[in-house]
């Protein structure tokens, strides 16, 4: 049996409202919020006494979702500084295609977004940047300037 689809990407956050606000400003839609707890939550996470608030946000096309989780118990554990560089092992970013990259960055700044580097142009095909959002999450944004043949995607 093969994978049917990617359902969602989960991100643990400390400030749920700030995270929702950031992703809604990016253009995602809040699908719903709930609290998860009990034996099911304990068994699938391998933790004991789980009480977790979750929010699901989806892209406007309905194909991609992020599950934001705020652990009330047991408390979330920090893996280190939130401003880690881009080359740290593990999940490294979530990437979104946007219509207007510069406008999107400007709209996200009041929600705490800070550029990791700068807005860069890949040939005459894409504008790309990485920014740090709530909880130090690195979000990639790409604006396609023109259609690119698949073989040209090597950087």
């Amino acid at each position: 049996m093969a994978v049917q689809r990617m359902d969602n990407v989960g991100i643990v956050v400390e400030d749920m409202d700030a995270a929702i606000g950031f992703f809604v400003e990016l253009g995602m839609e809040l699908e719903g919020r709930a609290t998860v707890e009990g034996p099911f939550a304990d068994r699938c996470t391998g933790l004991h006494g789980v009480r977790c608030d979750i929010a699901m946000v989806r892209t406007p096309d309905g194909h991609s979702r992020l599950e934001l989780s705020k652990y009330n118990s047991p408390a979330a554990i920090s893996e280190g500084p939130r401003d880690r560089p881009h080359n740290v092992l593990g999940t490294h970013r979530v990437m979104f295609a946007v219509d207007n990259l510069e406008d999107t960055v400007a709209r996200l700044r009041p929600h705490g977004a800070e550029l990791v580097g700068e807005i860069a142009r890949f040939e005459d095909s894409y504008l790309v940047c990485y920014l740090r959002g709530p909880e130090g999450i690195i979000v990639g944004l790409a604006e396609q300037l023109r259609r690119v043949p698949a073989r040209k995607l090597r950087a």
Side-chain angles (χ1 to χ4, degrees):
M1 170 160 268
V3 170
Q4 294 176 357
R5 69 178 180 278
M6 179 186 287
D7 189 60
N8 67 67
V9 173
I11 300 174
V12 177
V13 300
E14 198 167 26
D15 186 337
M16 179 67 80
D17 292 330
I20 291 170
F22 178 88
F23 287 108
V24 166
E25 185 62 40
L26 178 59
M28 298 186 82
E29 301 166 6
L30 178 61
E31 195 170 84
R33 293 176 80 154
T35 299
V36 178
E37 62 185 324
F40 165 78
D42 290 359
R43 284 195 306 271
C44 72
T45 62
L47 299 171
H48 179 70
V50 171
R51 180 171 171 75
C52 182
D53 297 327
I54 62 169
M56 193 69 74
V57 292
R58 71 172 178 266
T59 55
D61 67 3
H63 294 296
S64 302
R65 300 186 309 178
L66 295 177
E67 180 181 296
L68 306 171
S69 302
K70 178 184 181 346
Y71 278 83
N72 300 306
S73 78
I77 298 169
S78 175
E79 262 188 30
R82 292 187 179 174
D83 61 349
R84 294 179 293 179
H86 193 266
N87 61 341
V88 171
L89 294 174
T91 303
H92 115 142
R93 60 133 170 89
V94 180
M95 182 70 115
F96 296 95
V98 298
D99 294 334
N100 183 321
L101 189 136
E102 291 178 1
D103 177 66
T104 303
V105 170
R107 286 187 299 105
L108 292 174
R109 284 187 191 275
H111 293 271
E114 296 177 11
L115 286 171
V116 172
E118 58 188 68
I119 296 173
R121 180 180 293 268
F122 176 72
E123 298 177 351
D124 61 346
S125 304
Y126 288 94
L127 288 178
V128 177
C129 73
Y130 294 143
L131 53 87
R132 202 173 301 283
E135 317 295 341
I137 300 163
I138 296 178
V139 174
L141 302 176
E143 175 185 347
Q144 187 171 10
L145 302 174
R146 71 173 178 87
R147 200 44 85 198
V148 182
R151 62 181 166 67
K152 291 200 69 160
L153 291 179
R154 291 176 286 139

